[in-house]
Amino acid sequence: MQCPHCGASQHRVIDTRDTADAIRRRRQCEACGLRFTTYEHIAANLLVSKSDGRREPFDRQKLLQGIQIAATKRPISRETIEGIVNHIQEQALNSGKMEIPSTVIGQLVLDQLATIDQVAYIRFASVYLDIHDLNELRIEIDRLMGRN
Ligand SMILES: [Zn+2]
């Protein structure tokens, strides 16, 4: 875990508390002094099912990174991206299911990006929906335009 300001990985926990579905830790960066909050969601048992039938543990970090890449140089804060992932985890937890299809995760991300940033939406869609050519991309852009 890295400081959102300077990227240093040395920080200390100054406060820890349990919420309904997460452990909330207040941290302070030892390099720059920034205070920030992290959430450890109790979704360790959540499984993601792939289209080929394989299952793997939900990887919060991987999903965060995927969205982060789509949001490169876009005016989307780290908190917004974490909010997207938190929302998905909450939906999964609230549904009471221990398994969520990867396609549903992708769609949930897209639903949120559609209202946040259209460029990030298209970038994420092109990776997540495995868009191969301009025609497929145009279909997705039309779908996005149709929402608004
Ligand atoms: Zn720092």
Side-chain angles (χ1 to χ4, degrees), residues 22-41:
I23 301 164
R24 177 183 174 280
R25 292 189 209 279
R26 195 84 182 119
R27 296 173 188 270
Q28 184 163 29
C29 174
E30 292 194 346
C32 74
L34 181 82
R35 291 183 175 200
F36 58 103
T37 305
T38 58
Y39 293 91
E40 285 155 42
H41 283 258

Side-chain angles (χ1 to χ4, degrees), residues 21 40-47 56-59 89 93 98:
D21 64 349
E40 285 155 42
H41 283 258
I42 305 162
N45 306 328
L46 188 62
L47 290 173
E56 55 185 46
F58 177 78
D59 188 339
Q89 284 186 302
L93 291 167
M98 294 318 286

Side-chain angles (χ1 to χ4, degrees), residues 11-121:
H11 35 73
R12 58 198 184 87
V13 175
I14 51 183
D15 184 33
T16 298
R17 65 187 63 173
D18 281 306
T19 62
D21 64 349
I23 301 164
R24 177 183 174 280
R25 292 189 209 279
R26 195 84 182 119
R27 296 173 188 270
Q28 184 163 29
C29 174
E30 292 194 346
C32 74
L34 181 82
R35 291 183 175 200
F36 58 103
T37 305
T38 58
Y39 293 91
E40 285 155 42
H41 283 258
I42 305 162
N45 306 328
L46 188 62
L47 290 173
V48 177
S49 50
K50 312 284 232 179
S51 51
D52 63 8
R54 281 181 304 131
R55 293 190 183 93
E56 55 185 46
F58 177 78
D59 188 339
R60 179 179 166 85
Q61 220 50 41
K62 192 169 138 191
L63 186 57
L64 280 172
Q65 265 170 22
I67 302 170
Q68 190 95 61
I69 289 166
T72 302
K73 294 194 178 174
R74 300 300 303 166
I76 306 175
S77 69
R78 177 77 188 180
E79 273 122 51
T80 301
I81 293 170
E82 298 219 337
I84 293 173
V85 177
N86 291 348
H87 176 74
I88 289 166
Q89 284 186 302
E90 275 150 27
Q91 289 227 327
L93 291 167
N94 291 342
S95 75
K97 294 189 191 116
M98 294 318 286
E99 195 176 315
I100 184 167
S102 59
T103 49
V104 170
I105 293 179
Q107 208 50 60
L108 286 169
V109 172
L110 289 174
D111 284 347
Q112 293 184 79
L113 283 180
T115 61
I116 295 168
D117 189 284
Q118 297 188 334
V119 172
Y121 173 99

